Amino acid sequence: MLYGINLKYLDDTNDSSLLYSGGDDSLVILEDNTIDHLSFPVSLVYQNNQDRQISLLTDRDFTTPADDQPWIFYVENVISFAWETKNSVIRYRFHELATDDIFRFWLYHVVLPIYLSIGQVYRFLHAGAVEIDEKAILFMASSFGGKSTLTDYFIQRGHPLITDDKMATYEKDGMYYAVPSHPYHRPFRTVEVLGHLCENPSTQVRPIHAIYILEKSEPDASCTIRLLKGVEKFARLHEGGEMNFSFFTPKYVNYLAGLANKVNVFSVTVPHDLQRLEEVYQIIKEHSETLQGKL
Amino acid sequence: MTLDTNYTIPTTVMLQSVDDETLLFDSATELFFTLNDVGAIMWEIMSESSTLRAVYDELTEAYDVPSQQLEADIVTFATALTQQGLIHCA
C-alpha cells in the first residue's frame, strides 16, 4: 500500500478485460504504448527535475479540474504517465531511457503525489516524517536544511518512516492526519534513485502531533525549540507547501490556515554538526513526548 | 483617494486568521500582510462594499472617534492596501 492505496499492476494493455472498472480502493497501473504527450496543448508545468525536463499536460484551459479531465506527466525521453482526474487507472509508456527502477522512482516520488493532489485526495507538505509513540512528527526545512538527515537518524533509532519527502495529509472532523507514502528513503538526494528500502515503515494513518521546522545553525550553537504562532507560523508552513497547483491555491491556503490553527508548529535550531545529531534527536523526542494539546 | 473612491478586491487576495492574528495573503505575489484588530474590522467591511464610505459609516456608529480622524485613518489604510496591490481603485 502506497499513500493509503493498493496498487495493482496490469501488463497486457491489449486485453480489454483487464481494463479497470473501479469498485474497490485500488489504483491500477498499466502499460499503454499509445500515450502521446504531444496530443495535449496545455502545459501547466515545464521545468527541470532530477536533471530531466518534465511537463504536466492537459487538454484544456480550466479553473477547476473536471472529473474526466485527462492528464499526462511527461519526462523527456524517459517515461510518460497518463490518467483522468477521478479515474483509478494510471497508464504509463516507457521511452528510450526508461528502466524499471526509474519508472518506480517517478511513480512513487512524483506522479502519485500529483495524481492524489489533482484528485484532491490529499494535501501535500514538503516534509519528512516519522512516528513517535504512534503519532506523526513532521520535519520541514528549506533546501539542504537537514530534513532528510534528521529523518534518517530517527529511522536508525527505530522510529517508523512515514514519508521521505512528500507528506500526504488530510483533515477529518477538525483533525489533521499523516498518510504513509512509500517505504523508500533517500538521505542523499541522488537523482532518479528510488532510495533505501526502510525496514520499519509506518503502515497506518497517524494524527499529526507536531511540526518541527529546522533552522540550520552554527556547529556550536544550542539546539533550542521555539513555538511559532500566528502569521509567522502560517508563513513558514506556506514555505513548505508541496503540490500547490495554482488552480487550487485558495483551497490550499485555507487548508494550511486550518492546519496552523490545529497543530503545534515549532522552530528548531539544529547545529550543523553530524556529531550532535543524537542531541537534536533526544531534544525533539523528549519535547514531542511531553507535548499535550494545542499550545 | 476619498471615501467615495470605488475599489475592487482581487480574487487572489484572501483573509486568514491564525491563532489570534489576522493576515491577508495575495496568491499572485505570495506575500503576507498582517492586520491589526482595527485593520481586520476595516477589511471585513470593505470586503462587503465597493467604497470606503461604508467603512466610515459603520465605524462612526460603532466607535466614538472624531470624524476627521476616522476618515484620515480609513484613507491611509486604503492607500496602503492600494500600494501593495491588495485593492484596486477605479
Side-chain angles (χ1 to χ4, degrees):
Chain A
M1 184 170 284
L2 305 180
Y3 300 97
I5 297 170
N6 286 311
L7 299 191
K8 287 182 180 176
Y9 291 89
L10 301 181
D11 294 329
D12 187 353
T13 56
N14 295 319
D15 183 348
S16 61
S17 67
L18 290 178
L19 289 177
Y20 186 64
S21 59
D24 61 30
D25 292 331
S26 297
L27 175 63
V28 166
I29 311 295
L30 60 84
E31 189 170 16
D32 179 357
N33 288 322
T34 68
I35 297 171
D36 177 10
H37 67 277
L38 297 174
S39 62
F40 286 173
V42 179
S43 178
L44 298 170
V45 178
Y46 185 81
Q47 62 185 46
N48 183 288
N49 186 314
Q50 308 295 312
D51 293 337
R52 305 284 193 196
Q53 288 300 314
I54 63 168
S55 48
L56 178 63
L57 306 144
T58 189
D59 68 340
R60 69 195 80 170
D61 287 315
F62 63 97
T63 52
T64 300
D67 287 356
D68 64 347
Q69 188 162 339
W71 304 87
I72 290 178
F73 180 83
Y74 174 62
V75 185
E76 191 174 44
N77 299 325
V78 179
I79 196 160
S80 299
F81 294 89
W83 69 92
E84 295 174 358
T85 305
K86 291 290 187 183
N87 199 342
S88 298
V89 179
I90 292 179
R91 296 172 290 121
Y92 64 90
R93 177 181 181 180
F94 277 31
H95 303 294
E96 55 267 36
L97 299 178
T99 66
D100 286 344
D101 284 347
I102 287 176
F103 159 74
R104 288 203 299 160
F105 166 83
W106 285 104
L107 179 64
Y108 295 177
H109 286 279
V110 181
V111 172
L112 286 174
I114 293 175
Y115 167 82
L116 293 165
S117 295
I118 291 176
Q120 299 191 70
V121 179
Y122 304 127
R123 304 284 180 196
F124 280 82
L125 298 172
H126 188 201
V130 296
E131 287 186 17
I132 298 179
D133 295 337
E134 299 186 346
K135 297 170 185 170
I137 304 296
L138 277 57
F139 303 124
M140 300 175 76
S142 54
S143 295
F144 306 106
K147 168 171 53 69
S148 298
T149 302
L150 191 61
T151 302
D152 187 56
Y153 197 83
F154 271 79
I155 295 169
Q156 291 178 32
R157 294 301 301 262
H159 295 271
L161 170 70
I162 297 176
T163 189
D164 164 73
D165 186 55
K166 293 182 177 63
M167 182 71 260
T169 73
Y170 68 90
E171 180 269 339
K172 185 178 181 184
D173 299 331
M175 293 281 288
Y176 288 79
Y177 296 91
V179 183
S181 58
H182 54 73
Y184 295 95
H185 177 52
R186 298 192 305 150
F188 307 104
R189 293 285 192 235
T190 310
V191 296
E192 274 184 342
V193 167
L194 188 58
H196 307 306
L197 183 61
C198 179
E199 294 178 358
N200 185 27
S202 175
T203 57
Q204 295 187 45
V205 171
R206 299 295 189 191
I208 299 176
H209 186 55
I211 299 173
Y212 293 93
I213 298 178
L214 312 182
E215 316 282 357
K216 191 185 288 186
S217 59
E218 294 300 314
D220 59 350
S222 299
C223 176
T224 58
I225 296 178
R226 178 173 64 92
L227 177 68
L228 299 181
K229 300 286 281 184
V231 174
E232 183 185 15
K233 173 163 64 169
F234 179 79
R236 299 305 305 276
L237 285 178
H238 185 264
E239 286 173 6
E242 180 81 47
M243 303 289 159
N244 177 18
F245 294 105
S246 58
F247 44 88
F248 285 144
T249 293
K251 289 180 179 177
Y252 192 81
V253 168
N254 284 335
Y255 183 84
L256 286 186
L259 177 69
N261 278 311
K262 281 288 185 179
V263 175
N264 289 312
V265 180
F266 302 93
S267 167
V268 188
T269 55
V270 179
H272 189 44
D273 180 356
L274 292 177
Q275 301 300 317
R276 296 183 65 190
L277 269 178
E278 174 65 20
E279 175 189 347
V280 176
Y281 164 76
Q282 290 293 345
I283 288 173
I284 292 178
K285 179 171 175 290
E286 288 171 17
H287 182 269
S288 72
E289 286 172 343
T290 57
L291 184 62
Q292 293 189 342
K294 174 75 165 41
L295 299 177
Chain B
M1 181 176 293
T2 70
L3 293 181
D4 295 312
T5 300
N6 285 303
Y7 64 83
T8 56
I9 298 174
T11 57
T12 56
V13 178
M14 291 166 266
L15 182 73
Q16 297 290 343
S17 294
V18 177
D19 299 327
D20 295 326
E21 297 180 21
T22 305
L23 63 97
L24 290 175
F25 174 65
D26 186 351
S27 64
T29 60
E30 304 232 317
L31 293 177
F32 302 87
F33 302 89
T34 307
L35 296 180
N36 61 22
D37 292 345
V38 176
I41 292 169
M42 286 188 187
W43 181 268
E44 280 194 28
I45 302 169
M46 287 176 68
S47 65
E48 296 171 356
S49 181
S50 59
T51 70
L52 300 176
R53 179 72 61 186
V55 182
Y56 178 84
D57 290 345
E58 284 207 30
L59 294 183
T60 297
E61 285 189 19
Y63 298 97
D64 184 18
V65 184
S67 58
Q68 282 190 323
Q69 179 65 53
L70 179 59
E71 179 175 348
D73 288 347
I74 292 171
V75 170
T76 299
F77 179 63
T79 301
L81 293 174
T82 303
Q83 289 170 344
Q84 298 297 341
L86 298 170
I87 61 172
H88 294 159
C89 293

